[in-house]
Amino acid sequence: MGGELRAQDAAVGVGGQAGTGAMSAVGHELAEKVGGLLAGGEVRMFLGYGAGRTALRVRPRHVLRPEGAAGLVWNEFCAPSLAKYLLDEQEEEGRVGVLVKTCDLRAMKRLVADRRVDRGRVLLVGVGCAGVVDAGKVEALLVEPVVEAGVQDGKLVLQTRSGVRELPREEYLLERCLHCEDPNPREVDLLVGPEVAPWAARPRDYAEVAEVTAMGAAGRAAYWDRQFARCLRCFACRNVCPACSCRECSLEVWEPMWLPREVSVSEQYMFHFTRAFHVAGRCVDCGECERVCPVSIPLMKLNRALQKEIQELFGVERPWEPEEKEPLAMYTPDDPDFH
């Protein structure tokens, strides 16, 4: 994986300075094309990335005018999925353009399959991605804020006030990037930048599920007690999830009150298990719930445990890929469990 990733560093221009608005070569191409789409009236708005509050972060950028495209950035820290922001744009007329990586495309397909986004009103602009850095891991390591960040010779090069720190880039990628089977999004309307060479993706072997299963009943209970005791009930995991797109969430209604406002561990079990079962068979394995959790609860262990069950019980080879018919949303008259 390392050689291929390093070979792409220059191609994707990941040395761009996140947080300063400096753009990579792909970023310049993206800005040019987005400006043209807006000027030509092909989209009324474009969703991409803009500079964030630190050199390691980006934030969603809504571009409404052609000249605003100059503020778009593309770099190694473009982690957030933008697909769910489309929910806020479905009430207005006109197409919306959005930048997607391969993992974001699965989220987009999820929203389309759930009839929450009209594919005909979205213009997908794909970009090859050589892997995204987990900013949280880097921030946890460093005491000082990073004022400038980039990649050189396969290393993360981080400039702080007291000097330069270099880190092995591969060790700081998001976990989903290690499982990425095709870094180039397909089935999009437009591509920017060169194709990225694929690398040897790690198989989804559910090792993390086996690790928890091996704890036994008492051990698992103690493990999840510790995890859920830290939950703030901030709903960030739900809000970012492309499979959690109900217009009204049953966990927030007052009548009937399925989830009391108390944040005891037992009620946190209710919240997290309800959410995990709600997305069972529909989770796209993007890991966004875990990435945005402010207290780092390993929520993907729950989702992958259900993925494993669905794979084994229903014979779904790739349960993370959205399909028109979902295994838990259909039945046949000869279903042996039908009553």
Side-chain angles (χ1 to χ4, degrees):
M1 179 176 174
E4 291 84 353
L5 285 180
R6 282 192 290 273
Q8 291 303 321
D9 290 345
V12 298
V14 291
Q17 300 170 15
T20 65
M23 301 176 72
S24 65
V26 176
H28 283 293
E29 180 184 342
L30 174 65
E32 185 178 333
K33 289 186 175 178
V34 170
L37 292 171
L38 287 163
E42 294 182 66
V43 297
R44 66 171 175 79
M45 190 190 73
F46 188 83
L47 272 167
Y49 299 102
R53 58 183 170 79
T54 74
L56 300 178
R57 301 282 180 174
V58 297
R59 58 185 175 186
R61 181 176 177 86
H62 296 64
V63 184
L64 297 170
R65 295 183 296 276
E67 58 270 28
L72 291 169
V73 299
W74 170 248
N75 57 42
E76 289 268 341
F77 305 99
C78 293
S81 170
L82 301 173
K84 201 168 180 183
Y85 288 90
L86 294 170
L87 292 178
D88 297 329
E89 306 299 331
Q90 293 297 291
E91 301 301 322
E92 295 190 38
E93 294 294 326
R95 280 203 305 177
V96 173
V98 61
L99 187 66
V100 291
K101 308 180 291 291
T102 298
C103 47
D104 305 332
L105 192 57
R106 290 201 306 274
M108 181 68 199
K109 289 180 177 178
R110 174 76 277 150
L111 292 167
V112 171
D114 289 345
R115 309 289 194 270
R116 295 293 280 118
V117 167
D118 181 350
R119 175 66 178 86
R121 295 177 57 197
V122 177
L123 188 139
L124 295 176
V125 178
V127 60
C129 175
V132 177
V133 172
D134 186 338
K137 280 186 186 176
V138 177
E139 289 166 345
L141 182 71
L142 302 177
V143 176
E144 291 183 299
V146 176
V147 296
E148 188 176 325
V151 172
Q152 188 172 10
D153 298 329
K155 295 178 182 177
L156 274 177
V157 181
L158 309 170
Q159 176 72 55
T160 66
R161 292 192 183 91
S162 60
V164 176
R165 180 80 179 268
E166 294 186 351
L167 301 173
R169 174 179 173 274
E170 291 175 32
E171 294 180 13
Y172 289 86
L173 293 178
L174 288 173
E175 201 238 345
R176 70 187 184 213
C177 302
L178 305 179
H179 298 290
C180 181
E181 297 168 331
D182 185 355
N184 302 291
R186 313 295 174 183
E187 304 174 59
V188 295
D189 302 303
L190 183 66
L191 274 171
V192 293
E195 285 217 350
V196 173
W199 51 85
R202 291 184 188 173
R204 289 175 169 84
D205 57 6
Y206 301 112
E208 70 276 54
V209 177
E211 180 184 352
V212 177
T213 302
M215 295 177 185
R220 287 197 298 275
Y223 175 78
W224 286 113
D225 279 356
R226 290 195 300 275
Q227 302 300 331
F228 294 153
R230 297 183 289 117
C231 178
L232 306 173
R233 191 84 64 79
C234 65
F235 291 117
C237 53
R238 180 203 61 180
N239 294 346
V240 78
C241 176
C244 262
S245 62
C246 298
R247 290 180 174 83
E248 184 176 49
C249 178
S250 64
L251 299 178
E252 282 195 294
V253 298
W254 289 94
E255 185 64 36
M257 184 180 288
W258 297 105
L259 181 67
R261 286 356 181 209
E262 176 188 351
V263 287
S264 64
V265 172
S266 62
E267 296 303 337
Q268 303 296 40
Y269 269 93
M270 174 73 175
F271 169 59
H272 287 290
F273 279 19
T274 299
R275 219 190 72 76
F277 278 101
H278 177 56
V279 303
R282 301 167 54 252
C283 171
V284 298
D285 206 45
C286 65
E288 282 289 273
C289 54
E290 194 169 292
R291 186 184 67 82
V292 302
C293 178
V295 292
S296 303
I297 298 174
L299 295 168
M300 286 305 295
K301 289 183 178 179
L302 288 178
N303 296 331
R304 293 212 173 103
L306 292 168
Q307 275 182 15
K308 181 173 181 290
E309 294 295 319
I310 289 167
Q311 197 171 52
E312 294 174 355
L313 295 175
F314 293 87
V316 179
E317 188 177 347
R318 300 167 64 84
W320 52 87
E321 289 286 355
E323 300 290 345
E324 187 67 22
K325 294 182 178 179
E326 306 292 351
L328 300 184
M330 57 180 290
Y331 82 97
T332 62
D334 57 348
D335 188 331
D337 293 328
F338 179 71
H339 297 288

